[in-house]
């Protein structure tokens, strides 16, 4: 499921005053961990383009995938992201 944010703006960024950290659905778990570390965040939006939200991947999702012995070099963000999201309009 993809949810669109109004064209040209990312409401979450406007609310928190910083860009939303994101990765593509094809990012490996290594890339997800690197992106979280670089952005100093515990969760990333998963989506192919700005304004699209296909899911969210969290530190907990990474831990679960590793505990399940998934290969971090081949498992993708889209494979482990939570896609049932609840939000409110700003």
């Amino acid at each position: 499921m993809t949810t669109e944010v109004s064209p040209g703006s990312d409401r979450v960024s406007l609310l928190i005053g910083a860009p939303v950290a994101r990765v593509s659905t094809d990012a490996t778990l290594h890339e997800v961990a690197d992106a979280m570390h670089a952005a100093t965040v515990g969760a990333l939006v998963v989506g192919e383009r700005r304004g699209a939200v296909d899911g969210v991947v969290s530190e907990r999702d990474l831990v679960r995938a590793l505990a399940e012995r998934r290969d971090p070099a081949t498992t993708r963000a889209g494979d482990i992201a939570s896609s049932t999201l609840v939000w409110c309009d700003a």
Side-chain angles (χ1 to χ4, degrees):
M1 177 179 163
T2 300
T3 303
E4 291 292 329
V5 178
S6 59
S9 72
D10 187 327
R11 289 182 185 178
V12 176
S13 291
L14 294 173
L15 289 173
I16 63 174
V20 174
R22 66 174 49 246
V23 291
S24 76
T25 56
D26 291 333
T28 66
L29 298 192
H30 282 190
E31 294 167 331
V32 169
D34 287 344
M36 283 183 184
H37 178 70
T40 62
V41 296
L44 300 167
V45 170
V46 178
E48 295 305 314
R49 65 189 189 290
R50 184 174 178 192
V53 178
D54 296 317
V56 173
V57 64
S58 68
E59 291 173 331
R60 179 70 187 116
D61 295 321
L62 282 176
V63 169
R64 185 179 305 112
L66 294 174
E68 292 171 352
R69 305 290 189 251
R70 291 186 170 198
D71 183 352
T74 60
T75 304
R76 306 295 178 184
D79 298 334
I80 67 164
S82 301
S83 59
T84 304
L85 305 175
V86 178
W87 68 89
C88 63
D89 290 326

